[in-house]
Amino acid sequence: MEETFYITTPIYYVNAEPHLGHAYTTILADSLSRFHKMQGKRTFFLTGTDEHGDKIMQSARERGEDAQEYADRVSRQFRELWPELNIDYDRFIRTTDPDHVACVQRFLQLVYDNGDIYFGEYGGYYCFGCERFFTEKELEDGNCPDHQKPPEYIQETNYFFRMSRYQEWLRGYIQDNPDFIQPERYRREVLAMLREPLDDLCISRPKSRLEWGIELPFDSGYVTYVWFDALLNYISALGWPEGEDYVRFWPAAHHLVAKDILKPHAIFWPTMLRAAGVPLYRGLRVHGYWKVHEEKMSKTLGNVVRPLELRSKYGLDAFRFFLLREMQFGHDGNFSEEGLIGRFNADLANDLGNLFSRCLAMTGKYFGASAPPHPDDLDLEREDEELLQLGRDYLEKYLQCFEAVHTAEALEWLMEFVRGVNKYIDTTAPWSLYKQGYTQRLQTVLALALASLRRIALALRPVMPDASHTMCEQLGLDLGSLDVDLRQECSEWVFLSEGTRVAKKSNLFPRQELKLEREGAGEGKHASGQKKNKAGKEKAESKQGSESEQTPEIDFTDFQKLDMRVGRVEGASPHPDADRLLQLEVDAGEGYTRRIVAGLAEAYSPQDLVGRHVTVLANLKPRKLRGVTSHGMVLAVHGEQGLSLLAPDQVVSPGDKIS
Ligand code: MSP
């Protein structure tokens, strides 16, 4: 049977312009759709806009626009933005689309006929911003906790969906099907909600109060509550109940949402489906929130991040890569341009870009830019076998993590592989094989390196479609006929055909610097980041290990060139190749962790170091220490008792400057 995959994003309200948060969910969905497509599955990727309800009506009114015109205008902004971010959706649905409206009415009628919708009176505190009633307990000092405004008391007759009837069934279902809601913390949150009595859901609004909605099929005096309308987009888009797409894709449905809309997706939606006798979706995947410089993104704070601005400053691939690499799925992530640049320079410019450029340059120099013959199994040496193994293991992990939507871990495995290939090149030293005339060995090494590049290029395709395309072109891969099966690519080694013409040069990811145009929010932080980068470009002139008497005098301006700051060790492990060295992952307040290789193993074990504050020289040029690149230095004292870390004796935070 044909394998399918169906992925959806929330449909976004049209009362705000698209920003980083919307872009993240949609880019993530796009990358998942591409990832599954590359495994031979037939995929359907749905996104769109949610256009009915009080909130939209009010925003339209504030702007003096008609609700439909207003919705058309903002919906278009979303629809037109996505292709600019290389987002390749299959359908963009609007809740004002006639087929959606018909589907909502049909669904309501069905549930009504089944006896799960009743008419009743209700009085309660209603927040227009949230479009829902609040209990007194939920209010903070009488205010809506989100909008900090007092809700209005409203008493009216309405239609209710008998949601409470499905509470026990849903609890059992979630308990028996651990994969239904993931990550686990959100599954537990939903189970906790279901331990409290569940109220029935008010699913209508009288037209006397709100006209902007879908009319109830069984009472023309009412429109449908916006959530009951919006959730149905996931099946209306497929042509429920008879549509071919519905039959094909609904059994493989995965919804991607952030934590803000967990309850409607984890409780309203499954109970609605159950009441209508529609099978449940396969999985709900819930991510955290992007903050900006650790603060909530909001218009009032003036820190709303616009995706197109970032694209034009740093390039689309850098933006997509950063979002998927940085956000630990399920947790909140922190967005900063410094963080983006840091990741870009560390992973893409230093590790991946450098690997491509050195391998292609060597193929150019030693083999006239044509791929050498495939190695014979019998010719393989220990390093080669190790690289093959690494390629299999790490890429398998890449696939597993991607499948589970843990893209940050997936990309970390892929970058580990990149670093492994860089190390392989350092150890096998093709330049000396060339000098010594070991041609056959040189062929083997470069054939393996190029096969590694091919894998990396293909594995990155769901994340960075453009860069992956360029990498494939540089490797002389015939893109037209390249029908890739990602699983196969990751488990079997595919060599470039002998004689394939590859590019002589590659400059995929030139190092980037912060580009600051905006004034205002976060200026202080930006300014220090900028200084750091500028300083980073200048040559560090420190001399290591020399005695103080021999040290030349320096000017104060020389001292100012040193970017010394407090770092916190987030992770530590032994260096794979040197007993004296440890590899540290250090948070130096830049929004990402940097890897620093330090000669501390004689005095500290990795466990001793995790969680400790250290002094970091941050703008030391990256250098390789036994095959691992170190981005900075950790300072220590060589005292009589041995080695001891230089650390502040007061409470400090990562990134605090040392002067
Ligand atoms: N219209 C409803 C969804 C109906 S789905 C049947 C809605 N719209 S929304 O415009 O408010 O979008 C919320 C979604 O936008 C989040 O669930 C998330 O996907 C995305 N994000 C908005 N801000 C975000 C962040 N700051 N960080 C990450 N994602 C966020 O709710």
Side-chain angles (χ1 to χ4, degrees):
M1 212 182 79
E2 180 186 47
E3 260 205 280
T4 54
F5 180 73
Y6 175 34
I7 185 81
T8 69
T9 71
I11 47 172
Y12 305 111
Y13 287 129
V14 287
N15 65 343
E17 287 172 13
H19 60 57
L20 174 75
H22 308 120
Y24 169 68
T25 317
T26 320
I27 288 174
L28 180 57
D30 177 71
S31 74
L32 289 169
S33 167
R34 290 172 190 266
F35 176 78
H36 286 272
K37 199 179 276 175
M38 282 179 81
Q39 295 175 54
K41 294 184 201 170
R42 190 150 174 180
T43 59
F44 196 99
F45 166 19
L46 176 70
T47 188
T49 43
D50 188 354
E51 307 184 4
H52 291 128
D54 284 322
K55 235 194 301 209
I56 310 300
M57 191 68 222
Q58 278 188 1
S59 300
R61 227 180 259 138
E62 278 161 23
R63 289 168 179 77
E65 278 180 86
D66 164 70
Q68 184 68 57
E69 266 169 30
Y70 171 68
D72 288 348
R73 185 169 59 76
V74 185
S75 176
R76 196 177 317 117
Q77 289 181 2
F78 278 92
R79 200 176 55 247
E80 289 176 358
L81 170 66
W82 299 143
E84 299 288 321
L85 302 180
N86 247 336
I87 288 165
D88 190 13
Y89 53 76
D90 291 292
R91 174 161 180 192
F92 186 95
I93 192 168
R94 303 180 56 187
T95 50
T96 47
D97 286 341
D99 64 334
H100 173 76
V101 173
C103 165
V104 171
Q105 291 182 327
R106 188 164 174 178
F107 192 94
L108 278 163
Q109 190 66 53
L110 182 68
V111 180
Y112 186 72
D113 293 344
N114 289 348
D116 274 337
I117 291 178
Y118 64 91
F119 194 56
E121 179 141 14
Y122 188 76
Y125 296 98
Y126 189 81
C127 170
F128 282 88
C130 299
E131 308 225 19
R132 75 174 183 98
F133 286 101
F134 278 83
T135 59
E136 274 183 62
K137 234 168 65 190
E138 287 176 305
L139 301 176
E140 279 172 9
D141 299 329
N143 287 332
C144 155
D146 269 358
H147 294 88
Q148 290 302 319
K149 277 196 249 167
E152 273 179 45
Y153 190 83
I154 293 183
Q155 176 102 29
E156 58 192 23
T157 42
N158 261 315
Y159 286 88
F160 290 83
F161 165 50
R162 250 182 250 287
M163 195 159 69
S164 56
R165 187 170 167 188
Y166 298 101
Q167 170 160 8
E168 278 319 302
W169 159 81
L170 181 59
R171 198 142 77 103
Y173 187 85
I174 296 173
Q175 256 154 0
D176 296 345
N177 294 277
D179 198 41
F180 184 55
I181 301 171
Q182 277 298 316
E184 193 54 25
R185 58 199 309 216
Y186 296 111
R187 174 170 174 260
R188 272 193 242 121
E189 203 175 311
V190 176
L191 285 170
M193 289 179 207
L194 289 170
R195 277 195 284 276
E196 302 290 318
L198 196 61
D199 288 335
D200 287 343
L201 186 67
C202 176
I203 56 153
S204 65
R205 300 289 180 260
K207 275 196 184 165
S208 53
R209 178 154 72 76
L210 173 76
E211 289 220 0
W212 184 236
I214 299 178
E215 192 177 285
L216 294 185
F218 40 82
D219 190 336
S220 59
Y222 288 84
V223 294
T224 313
Y225 167 51
V226 64
W227 271 105
F228 206 93
D229 158 358
L231 287 161
L232 285 165
N233 90 90
Y234 300 134
I235 57 172
S236 70
L238 299 179
W240 173 81
E242 306 90 0
E244 236 178 71
D245 283 338
Y246 172 73
V247 175
R248 180 176 288 137
F249 292 110
W250 183 245
H254 290 83
H255 300 311
L256 204 56
V257 298
K259 60 184 185 180
D260 55 336
I261 49 178
L262 177 62
K263 189 172 176 184
H265 283 84
I267 297 184
F268 302 177
W269 184 219
T271 53
M272 283 165 64
L273 290 167
R274 178 77 175 172
V278 179
L280 298 194
Y281 56 80
R282 273 274 287 281
L284 178 64
R285 302 291 172 257
V286 188
H287 64 77
Y289 248 48
W290 279 101
K291 295 184 174 168
V292 176
H293 287 297
E294 303 292 354
E295 280 171 335
K296 197 173 164 190
M297 197 168 22
S298 82
K299 265 194 189 158
T300 338
L301 287 174
N303 63 356
V304 173
V305 178
R306 291 188 183 80
L308 285 182
E309 261 176 38
L310 289 160
R311 187 190 72 160
S312 60
K313 273 173 152 182
Y314 303 110
L316 178 56
D317 281 330
F319 179 55
R320 287 180 60 119
F321 179 82
F322 176 73
L323 294 186
L324 302 187
R325 171 78 174 90
E326 194 67 15
M327 177 76 111
Q328 300 288 334
F329 196 70
H331 297 267
D332 287 347
N334 187 35
F335 183 88
S336 69
E337 291 186 36
E338 294 90 327
L340 189 152
I341 292 293
R343 272 285 178 222
F344 180 92
N345 285 342
D347 284 354
L348 298 183
N350 285 1
D351 291 340
L352 180 58
N354 190 23
L355 178 66
F356 255 79
S357 111
R358 66 203 296 223
C359 290
L360 291 180
M362 286 190 289
T363 314
K365 189 163 166 202
Y366 308 145
F367 299 111
S370 99
H374 301 189
D376 193 326
D377 280 356
L378 296 173
D379 295 336
L380 297 183
E381 297 194 1
R382 192 175 55 89
E383 295 99 333
D384 310 332
E385 301 282 7
E386 280 172 4
L387 181 73
L388 293 175
Q389 192 57 39
L390 207 68
R392 274 189 289 266
D393 292 353
Y394 288 4
L395 273 276
E396 180 53 34
K397 294 210 167 98
Y398 175 77
L399 293 179
Q400 276 169 9
C401 294
F402 221 108
E403 179 91 39
V405 202
H406 290 279
T407 58
E409 277 113 311
L411 289 168
E412 177 57 24
W413 283 113
L414 193 66
M415 293 315 300
E416 273 298 314
F417 179 56
V418 168
R419 290 188 279 269
V421 187
N422 265 324
K423 190 173 154 204
Y424 171 76
I425 302 286
D426 294 342
T427 340
T428 51
W431 45 91
S432 47
L433 296 173
Y434 177 70
K435 251 197 222 144
Q436 293 166 50
Y438 294 139
T439 313
Q440 200 190 347
R441 179 78 194 124
L442 183 63
Q443 284 175 346
T444 302
V445 168
L446 279 179
L448 270 170
L450 291 172
S452 305
L453 298 191
R454 175 193 158 103
R455 288 186 137 192
I456 295 164
L458 294 174
L460 277 170
R461 199 193 259 183
V463 178
M464 301 193 287
D466 288 343
S468 162
H469 189 270
T470 312
M471 290 178 209
C472 288
E473 269 180 350
Q474 292 185 346
L475 291 171
L477 299 175
D478 179 358
L479 296 164
S481 66
L482 200 66
D483 192 11
V484 184
D485 177 340
L486 193 55
R487 281 208 175 259
Q488 201 173 329
E489 282 291 333
C490 292
S491 56
E492 288 165 24
W493 280 82
V494 184
F495 290 94
L496 297 196
S497 311
E498 183 179 350
T500 304
R501 305 295 302 165
V502 303
K504 288 194 180 115
K505 270 198 276 180
S506 166
N507 189 15
L508 287 170
F509 305 108
R511 277 184 80 79
Q512 298 218 29
E513 304 235 351
L514 265 185
K515 298 186 183 101
L516 295 172
E517 280 143 28
R518 281 180 299 136
E519 307 262 305
E523 204 179 280
K525 286 179 184 164
H526 281 144
S528 69
Q530 194 175 33
K531 206 149 114 208
K532 188 197 106 215
N533 261 312
K534 200 164 152 242
K537 273 184 73 186
E538 288 160 17
K539 275 196 179 151
E541 291 175 348
S542 69
K543 280 193 181 168
Q544 264 190 303
S546 44
E547 299 298 322
S548 54
E549 306 87 79
Q550 298 162 357
T551 315
E553 266 185 352
I554 59 167
D555 287 326
F556 184 62
T557 49
D558 288 327
F559 175 69
Q560 278 184 312
K561 288 180 192 165
L562 302 179
D563 177 3
M564 291 197 286
R565 43 173 76 206
V566 172
R568 201 185 112 94
V569 181
E570 299 294 338
S573 57
H575 187 291
D577 228 351
D579 294 342
R580 227 174 41 80
L581 301 176
L582 296 178
Q583 304 184 113
L584 310 181
E585 294 298 333
V586 179
D587 172 5
E590 297 149 305
Y592 60 93
T593 58
R594 42 164 82 212
R595 172 160 297 173
I596 300 183
V597 180
L600 296 171
E602 62 169 274
Y604 297 91
S605 70
Q607 310 81 276
D608 291 333
L609 294 172
V610 176
R612 285 184 71 140
H613 284 109
V614 290
T615 312
V616 173
L617 176 58
N619 61 337
L620 188 64
K621 260 194 173 173
R623 38 182 215 141
K624 279 232 156 87
L625 295 171
R626 300 288 286 266
V628 179
T629 308
S630 181
H631 300 273
M633 185 194 277
V634 167
L635 304 187
V637 185
H638 287 270
E640 276 178 14
Q641 308 289 324
L643 201 64
S644 123
L645 277 171
L646 185 63
D649 66 355
Q650 290 218 27
V651 179
V652 285
S653 308
D656 286 354
K657 292 291 251 174
I658 296 166
S659 53

